[in-house]
Amino acid sequence: SATKDPTAVERANLLNMAKLSIKGLIESALSFGRTLDSDYPPLQQFFVVMEHCLKHGLKVRKSFLSYNKTIWGPLELVEKLYPEAEEIGASVRDLPGLKTPLGRARAWLRLALMQKKMADYLRCLIIQRDLLSEFYEYHALMMEEEGAVIVGLLVGLNVIDANLCVKGEDLDSQVGVIDFSMYLKNEEDIGNKERNVQIAAILDQKNYVEELNRQLNNTVSSLHSRVDSLEKSNTKLIEELAIAKNNIIKLQEENHQLRSENKLILMKTQQHLEVTKVDVETELQTYKHSRQGLDEMYTEARRQLRDESQLRQDVENELTVQVSMKKEIELAMKLLEKDIHEKQDTLIGLRQQLEEVKAINIEMYQKLQGSEDGLKEKNEIIARLEEKTSNITAAMRQLEQRLQQAEKAQMEAEDEDEKYLQECLSKSDSLQKQISQKEKQLVQLETDVKIEKEWRQTLQEDLQKEKDALCHLRNETQQIIILKKKSLNLQDENQQLKKVCHDQEQALQELGNKLSESKLKIEDIKEANKALQGLVWLKDKEATHCKLCEKEFSLSKRKHHCRNCGEIFCNACSDNELPLPSSPKPVRVCDSCHALLIQRCSSNLP
């Protein structure tokens, strides 16, 4: 048979050692359950195996003084191929205690493991075989398929969390020797480990069941409190809905009253406009007939026009005030719309998140208070408008009285005109000049009449705006009715949720019964074990501190029973194993029992 290539055998041996070291490191780290230190033996052996793998087939470089054969050269290439590795290279060079290239390479491997990128860095090296050929022989492990397999195995190390102190270690003078005893196991060790694993599994199951019971009790209490809070919130919602219904009815009544009042105001204003139109036409006719009047009549007409213009200015000022009040009403209505939209959003939030019912109810209550304040403000505004309308009607009455007085004065003037017609014929020549001047004044009066017409048109536009506002109020009342329907739907959903909570409580009660039965079974198993062994075992709940070192137990400092005395100790105080009469195979024993048993054995010996 043909002999195998020794280099291939070396590569296969290194590959198998790498597999064993990586597998053992991952399993021990997961069972260890925390971050690994630099003193952890499987981790130290892993770095030794990796160092041997990287040294396999490395070319010897000659220098003036000696021959160099280190792995720092190919590891420096990673910085050029993988930009993220520049930080590791810089930090390794800055370390003060490293003097040799081998020490730098060892520090580089430890930092790459902490970064969880060792597999990525070495994969870049294996791909670039042209560059690796400068450092390795053609038959080296990094140049063959075994190197790619090892890089694939290194991906599993990303599960491990390592915290290694590189500054304090003497990496230059360490001797890399593989300890094969860690990977060779006896049958007795395997049996003891299996028993320990079974006992640990039973204890873990026990602790798991106890934790489940605690969590279920907490969830039951929390569910009871949630049900109580939901019932309270539902009662509050029902009360708030009743209040909202009453407020809606009041708003509808107020809307009807406002509509009736607006209709009356429109009728009155139309009547006043018709009366003023007739009065203006009569005035124009009288002015046409009285062109030939005297200067005194014109002066009186001027005075009357001035008074009327002042009255018009007063009326315009009042109208501007009314317009501003209308704008305030529109702003209040917009605020009401915003409140309604916010209520709709809160109702949707109630459907989606039942746990936040309390906060949403508080917001709804605040918003209802805001709407009540808005309604009060609107009632005050309506009262102000009524007062202003009463003032306007009083001013209109005064204007009517003044117009009647002016008509009487016009009648008297007509009588006087008939008397003075004969006298005016003689003075017509002198008065023609005055007539021309007065015609100009009439033109001015006509412009004033046009201004009055425009003012009346603006009043009509304001009335149309008020009609639009009334239509907007009607739409808002319809939206309020829709909100009523939505509130009824929410009540139905709350009832359904109560039913679901009741079903969940029943299911939790059944789970509690099942868990109590499982507890009883576990206690029966414990009693059977005690009867078999004839020992008094302490319960895990009763022991909080180690009996020897008196240190408190925690997740890192676990509890262990002594198979001789039955007390509970920490791992450091019960790491001894001895065969007992009850069990011929070695079993975990505390330090005190271990010393006593050794003394007895020594005394029995001749």
Side-chain angles (χ1 to χ4, degrees):
S1 61
T3 57
K4 291 184 179 179
D5 187 5
T7 56
V9 175
E10 289 177 0
R11 289 198 299 271
N13 291 331
L14 289 172
L15 178 60
N16 292 324
M17 286 305 301
K19 286 180 181 178
L20 289 171
S21 64
I22 291 167
K23 184 180 178 182
L25 179 60
I26 292 168
E27 290 177 355
S28 61
L30 292 174
S31 63
F32 194 55
R34 59 181 180 180
T35 57
L36 303 179
D37 297 329
S38 58
D39 297 330
Y40 193 59
L43 187 61
Q44 292 177 355
Q45 288 299 312
F46 166 72
F47 287 124
V48 172
V49 172
M50 285 302 299
E51 186 176 343
H52 281 279
C53 291
L54 291 170
K55 283 182 178 179
H56 184 263
L58 192 67
K59 289 183 180 180
V60 178
R61 290 192 174 185
K62 294 180 181 180
S63 63
F64 292 103
L65 299 174
S66 63
Y67 294 98
N68 292 324
K69 187 178 180 181
T70 60
I71 58 173
W72 177 238
L75 293 178
E76 279 185 326
L77 283 174
V78 179
E79 296 180 11
K80 298 177 181 178
L81 301 174
Y82 205 86
E84 293 182 3
E86 293 179 357
E87 295 180 0
I88 295 176
S91 59
V92 169
R93 293 187 191 94
D94 293 336
L95 288 172
L98 299 177
K99 297 179 181 179
T100 61
L102 183 60
R104 294 191 187 94
R106 288 170 178 171
W108 190 91
L109 289 172
R110 282 159 175 75
L111 292 173
L113 182 66
M114 284 194 286
Q115 283 189 350
K116 297 182 180 181
K117 290 185 178 179
M118 187 185 288
D120 297 333
Y121 295 156
L122 295 178
R123 188 182 291 110
C124 293
L125 276 176
I126 289 168
I127 292 167
Q128 301 293 330
R129 292 189 179 180
D130 297 334
L131 296 174
L132 281 178
S133 62
E134 296 179 1
F135 299 96
Y136 289 102
E137 300 289 342
Y138 67 94
H139 57 81
L141 186 139
M142 296 296 288
M143 299 290 288
E144 296 294 334
E145 293 179 356
E146 286 83 356
V149 175
I150 291 170
V151 171
L153 292 171
L154 290 174
V155 177
L157 295 176
N158 294 332
V159 182
I160 297 169
D161 294 326
N163 187 7
L164 307 176
C165 184
V166 183
K167 290 183 180 180
E169 290 188 2
D170 187 9
L171 299 175
D172 294 329
S173 61
Q174 285 183 1
V175 179
V177 179
I178 299 172
D179 187 6
F180 291 99
S181 63
M182 293 180 66
Y183 308 108
L184 298 174
K185 298 179 180 178
N186 296 323
E187 293 180 357
E188 293 180 357
D189 295 335
I190 292 165
N192 291 326
K193 287 183 180 178
E194 288 178 355
R195 289 177 184 175
N196 292 327
V197 168
Q198 290 176 359
I199 292 164
I202 291 164
L203 293 172
D204 292 334
Q205 287 176 0
K206 178 188 171 184
N207 294 324
Y208 178 68
V209 170
E210 290 177 354
E211 288 179 359
L212 275 177
N213 285 324
R214 289 174 187 171
Q215 289 178 0
L216 287 170
N217 290 323
N218 293 325
T219 52
V220 168
S221 61
S222 64
L223 284 169
H224 282 299
S225 62
R226 285 181 184 176
V227 169
D228 295 331
S229 63
L230 284 170
E231 288 178 355
K232 291 178 182 178
S233 61
N234 285 324
T235 54
K236 288 181 181 179
L237 280 171
I238 290 163
E239 292 175 357
E240 289 175 358
L241 286 169
I243 294 164
K245 287 179 181 178
N246 294 324
N247 291 325
I248 288 162
I249 292 163
K250 290 179 182 179
L251 286 170
Q252 288 178 353
E253 291 176 356
E254 290 177 357
N255 285 324
H256 289 300
Q257 290 178 1
L258 288 169
R259 287 174 187 172
S260 60
E261 289 176 357
N262 285 321
K263 287 179 181 178
L264 292 171
I265 291 165
L266 287 169
M267 294 293 288
K268 287 179 181 179
T269 52
Q270 288 178 357
Q271 290 176 1
H272 285 300
L273 287 170
E274 290 177 356
V275 171
T276 52
K277 282 181 182 179
V278 173
D279 293 334
V280 170
E281 288 177 356
T282 54
E283 286 177 359
L284 288 170
Q285 289 178 1
T286 53
Y287 280 123
K288 287 179 182 179
H289 290 294
S290 63
R291 282 181 183 177
Q292 295 177 358
L294 296 170
D295 295 333
E296 293 178 356
M297 293 296 294
Y298 287 111
T299 56
E300 289 178 358
R302 286 178 183 175
R303 288 175 185 175
Q304 289 177 358
L305 287 169
R306 287 174 184 173
D307 294 332
E308 288 178 356
S309 63
Q310 289 178 357
L311 289 170
R312 286 173 187 171
Q313 288 178 357
D314 295 332
V315 172
E316 286 177 355
N317 293 324
E318 289 177 356
L319 286 169
T320 54
V321 173
Q322 287 181 357
V323 170
S324 64
M325 294 301 291
K326 286 178 183 178
K327 289 180 180 179
E328 290 178 356
I329 292 166
E330 289 176 355
L331 290 170
M333 295 303 292
K334 288 179 180 179
L335 291 170
L336 279 173
E337 288 179 355
K338 289 180 180 179
D339 292 332
I340 291 164
H341 289 301
E342 289 176 355
K343 289 176 184 178
Q344 290 177 354
D345 295 331
T346 52
L347 291 171
I348 294 165
L350 282 169
R351 290 178 183 173
Q352 293 178 354
Q353 296 178 351
L354 290 169
E355 292 180 356
E356 297 178 358
V357 172
K358 289 183 180 180
I360 294 168
N361 287 327
I362 292 164
E363 290 178 359
M364 291 288 288
Y365 183 73
Q366 291 177 358
K367 289 176 182 177
L368 286 170
Q369 287 181 352
S371 62
E372 288 178 357
D373 296 332
L375 289 170
K376 289 179 183 178
E377 291 178 357
K378 286 181 181 179
N379 290 323
E380 292 176 357
I381 291 164
I382 289 163
R384 291 175 186 174
L385 287 170
E386 288 178 353
E387 290 178 358
K388 288 182 180 180
T389 50
S390 62
N391 294 324
I392 289 165
T393 52
M396 294 296 288
R397 287 176 184 173
Q398 290 178 2
L399 286 170
E400 287 177 355
Q401 290 177 0
R402 289 179 182 177
L403 287 170
Q404 288 176 1
Q405 290 176 2
E407 286 177 355
K408 289 180 181 179
Q410 286 177 0
M411 293 294 288
E412 291 175 358
E414 286 177 356
D415 295 332
E416 289 178 357
D417 286 335
E418 289 178 355
K419 291 178 182 179
Y420 288 105
L421 278 171
Q422 294 177 358
E423 293 178 358
C424 288
L425 291 170
S426 60
K427 296 180 180 179
S428 60
D429 295 331
S430 62
L431 291 170
Q432 283 179 355
K433 295 179 180 179
Q434 295 177 358
I435 288 164
S436 62
Q437 293 177 358
K438 290 178 181 179
E439 283 178 353
K440 293 179 181 178
Q441 293 175 359
L442 285 170
V443 171
Q444 291 178 357
L445 291 170
E446 287 177 354
T447 55
D448 294 331
V449 169
K450 288 179 181 178
I451 291 164
E452 286 179 357
K453 287 180 180 179
E454 291 176 355
W455 179 66
R456 287 171 185 171
Q457 287 177 357
T458 55
L459 284 173
Q460 290 178 356
E461 290 176 355
D462 294 330
L463 289 171
Q464 288 179 356
K465 288 179 180 179
E466 288 179 355
K467 289 179 181 178
D468 295 331
L470 288 170
C471 293
H472 186 65
L473 288 170
R474 289 176 185 173
N475 294 323
E476 287 181 351
T477 52
Q478 290 177 359
Q479 291 178 357
I480 291 164
I481 292 163
I482 292 164
L483 285 172
K484 283 183 182 178
K485 293 178 181 178
K486 290 181 178 179
S487 64
L488 293 170
N489 293 324
L490 282 172
Q491 289 179 359
D492 296 330
E493 289 179 357
N494 285 323
Q495 291 178 358
Q496 291 176 0
L497 288 170
K498 284 181 180 178
K499 291 178 181 178
V500 173
C501 288
H502 184 68
D503 295 334
Q504 289 178 356
E505 285 178 355
Q506 290 179 354
L508 288 170
Q509 287 176 0
E510 292 176 358
L511 284 172
N513 293 325
K514 289 180 180 179
L515 288 169
S516 62
E517 291 176 358
S518 65
K519 277 186 178 179
L520 292 171
K521 289 179 182 178
I522 289 164
E523 288 176 357
D524 294 333
I525 291 163
K526 285 181 183 177
E527 289 175 356
N529 288 324
K530 288 178 183 178
L532 290 170
Q533 294 176 1
L535 298 173
V536 178
W537 290 84
L538 283 176
K539 293 182 180 179
D540 292 335
K541 293 180 181 177
E542 294 176 357
T544 58
H545 297 272
C546 180
K547 193 172 181 181
L548 289 176
C549 63
E550 294 183 355
K551 290 183 179 179
E552 189 177 2
F553 291 115
S554 62
L555 291 172
S556 61
K557 201 171 190 64
R558 297 185 64 184
K559 301 175 183 178
H560 297 282
H561 280 89
C562 178
R563 300 299 186 273
N564 189 23
C565 62
E567 297 291 337
I568 294 173
F569 301 89
C570 64
N571 189 15
C573 296
S574 64
D575 58 348
N576 300 308
E577 291 182 355
L578 284 175
L580 297 174
S582 60
S583 63
K585 293 182 180 180
V587 185
R588 184 184 285 272
V589 179
C590 64
D591 292 340
S592 60
C593 292
H594 183 263
L596 289 170
L597 290 170
I598 289 167
Q599 286 177 2
R600 287 176 186 174
C601 291
S602 62
S603 62
N604 290 328
L605 291 171

